[in-house]
Amino acid sequence: MKNLKNYLEKYDNPRILDIGSGKGDFIKLIDYIFQDYQEIIGIDIVDYLLEMDESAFNHNPKIKWMGKEVLDTNFPKNSFDIISLSNTLHHIKDIKSMLEQMVYMLKPNGMIIVNELMAAEDLSDKEISHQLLHSFAAKIDHEIGMLHSQVFSKENIIQAIEMFSPWPIVDYWKLETKTFDKEITIDDLYQLIDGLLLNVKDHDKYSLYKEEAESLKAYLKENGFSFAHQLCLVLKKS
Ligand SMILES: C[S@@+](CC[C@H](N)C(=O)[O-])C[C@H]1O[C@@H](n2cnc3c(N)ncnc32)[C@H](O)[C@@H]1O
């Protein structure tokens, strides 16, 4: 996280936009390592605020939340010093338009941070839990018609960004991750799996998904859980 902190500290009181915030995990990470920001605005097509632990951000008036599709944002040109996109690239259909929109909203000398879970072969048993969980979530989302690809390789992430970014990638590294509010328990993960299953309860393949969910739970119980590898990369607007 030291690398990320160093990059964030290059900005004086920055205004930050976090795209695809989900329940705000990347915002929590930023806030944990760097507090000298003017504000962080989180946007997501799904309004997660109601689902979130109410106390998660309420204490901090500098963190704001908007339910928005990234392409429908009407922030003026040059609105943000930093724009982050964490674990969201593999949810995006039109990466080119999204990057164009990010470039438009970014101030000159601004920075884009892309952080993305990556497929890796040297995972520990605990980290494999994360990858299996993600794979299950992606299948369920696909079943209900939501775009959610399987995890990209490091090369695919870099390629996707290089293909559409007007600027070169200035740096990338493997991001170490942890949770910042409370430890994730096996019960939290079971609840997550049960929630995913509910989405397909009326589908033909429900019994197959239920079986997969049970073996996933058994794996998690036996091996525990740890975040898998994430690739963090930085682009700078010249
Ligand atoms: C896996 S979550 C990432 C959550 C968090 N950023 C993190 O790093 O853990 C991906 C999020 O992207 C959101 N998303 C997908 N497409 C989007 C879009 N076009 N505009 C805004 N949010 C989007 C999804 O609703 C989902 O909450």
Side-chain angles (χ1 to χ4, degrees), residues 88-94 138 141-142 144-149:
T88 299
L89 191 67
H90 65 284
H91 288 259
I92 302 291
K93 192 168 167 197
D94 185 351
D141 282 348
H142 185 73
I144 60 173
M146 280 170 67
L147 182 79
H148 190 170
S149 307

Side-chain angles (χ1 to χ4, degrees), residues 18-27 43-48 65-73 84-94 98 115-117 130 134 141 146-148 177 227 230:
D18 182 59
I19 298 172
S21 299
K23 296 189 180 193
D25 286 347
F26 200 68
I27 296 180
I43 60 167
D44 200 293
I45 33 169
V46 181
D47 188 354
Y48 273 108
W65 202 268
M66 291 180 188
K68 275 218 183 293
E69 143 74 40
V70 57
L71 297 179
D72 292 341
T73 49
S84 55
L85 179 84
S86 174
N87 289 323
T88 299
L89 191 67
H90 65 284
H91 288 259
I92 302 291
K93 192 168 167 197
D94 185 351
M98 181 200 57
N115 181 52
E116 187 71 9
L117 187 66
H130 188 189
H134 181 272
D141 282 348
M146 280 170 67
L147 182 79
H148 190 170
T177 318
F227 285 103
Q230 297 184 46

